[in-house]
Amino acid sequence: MKIVVLNGSPRKNGNTRIMAEAFAEGAKSKNHEVKILDIAHMNIKGCMACEYCFAHDGVCVQKDDMALVFDELNTADMVVFAAPIYWFDITAQLKTVIDRLYAHGKIGFNFNKTALLLDAGADGGVFTAAIAQYKAMTAFLKWEDKGIITIGGMMGKGDMEKAAKLADVRALGASL
Ligand SMILES: Cc1cc2nc3c(=O)[nH]c(=O)nc-3n(C[C@H](O)[C@H](O)[C@H](O)COP(=O)(O)O)c2cc1C
C-alpha cells in the first residue's frame, strides 16, 4: 500500500524525522511505498472556515501547498501523523494540516488507516492531549488506528538515534 507520513516537526533531520524514517524503513521492508512530507517546511495556511470546499467537491479556496499534500493523500491507503510535543500537544504546523483536512470532510478520504508517532523532551505525561485528539479524530472519521508510539526523553537534536524504542517504530512499519 501507499503510506504518507506527515512530519510536523520544523527541525530538519530532527528526532521526529528520524522516527519517520525508521517507520519508513520498516514499511519498505514489506514492500510498501512510503512518502514522508515535511509539512512544516511547506506553505500551508490555516483553515478559514469559509466552507467553499463543501460547495466545490472538496476543493479549497486557498491556493497553497496543501494542494500538494492532498495530491499525495488522494492516492494514499494510510497516513501517519508524526510530531514532537510542543507545549503538551502536537505542533501547530501538523494541526494546521489536520484542520485543512476539513475540505475533504464531505467527499471523504482515500485512506482509512492511520498511526501516530510522537516524541518529547519529557519522559512521559506530556502525550495525553495529542493522543486524545488523535483518538477522537480517528473515531469520528472511522479510520483504523494501526498504532500509537510515544518516545520521551528526547531533549536534544539527534537523541532519537540512541532511543531503544526506535526499534518499535521500525517494527510498526514492518507489521503492516
Ligand atoms: C517550542 C517547543 C516546545 C516544546 N514543548 C515541549 C513540551 O511541552 N513537553 C516536552 O516534553 N517537550 C517539549 N519540547 C521538546 C521536543 O518535543 C523534543 O525535543 C522533540 O524531540 C523535538 O523533536 P524534533 O527534533 O523533531 O524537533 C518542546 C520543544 C520546542 C522547540
Side-chain angles (χ1 to χ4, degrees):
M1 62 182 169
K2 174 175 170 179
I3 305 169
V4 173
V5 183
L6 300 175
N7 173 19
S9 171
R11 186 145 68 170
K12 287 189 173 159
N13 301 315
N15 295 324
T16 314
R17 175 79 201 197
I18 295 167
M19 255 181 131
E21 282 170 8
F23 172 86
E25 199 182 300
K28 283 177 184 171
S29 75
K30 293 293 160 66
N31 295 319
H32 297 299
E33 176 192 349
V34 185
K35 199 144 205 181
I36 302 173
L37 299 182
D38 290 316
I39 50 105
H41 290 280
M42 297 170 82
N43 174 30
I44 301 175
K45 307 264 188 325
C47 173
M48 299 199 301
C50 65
E51 305 206 343
Y52 175 95
C53 54
F54 278 54
H56 294 86
D57 294 325
V59 174
C60 182
V61 74
Q62 300 196 71
K63 302 303 169 213
D64 61 12
D65 290 346
M66 191 62 198
L68 303 175
V69 176
F70 271 128
D71 280 350
E72 298 297 341
L73 297 186
N74 288 343
T75 53
D77 305 290
M78 177 171 173
V79 171
V80 178
F81 300 94
I85 292 296
Y86 276 12
W87 293 108
F88 306 94
D89 208 339
I90 56 171
T91 58
Q93 292 92 332
L94 182 59
K95 184 59 166 57
T96 298
V97 166
I98 290 173
D99 287 355
R100 290 285 296 277
L101 297 180
Y102 191 70
H104 279 218
K106 195 168 166 188
I107 64 167
F109 299 90
N110 193 67
F111 62 90
N112 63 357
K113 297 174 189 59
T114 58
L116 179 66
L117 304 177
L118 298 170
D119 58 295
D123 266 337
V126 293
F127 300 109
T128 315
I131 292 172
Q133 185 275 341
Y134 169 79
K135 283 187 173 173
M137 176 176 67
T138 52
F140 180 75
L141 292 166
K142 299 187 170 50
W143 291 338
E144 182 192 350
D145 170 45
K146 303 301 282 185
I148 298 172
I149 297 180
T150 61
I151 304 188
M154 300 293 107
M155 295 300 286
K157 185 176 181 183
D159 282 356
M160 188 62 76
E161 302 280 11
K162 302 180 271 324
K165 275 181 94 176
L166 202 53
D168 297 353
V169 179
R170 208 170 281 114
L172 173 62
S175 73
L176 299 168

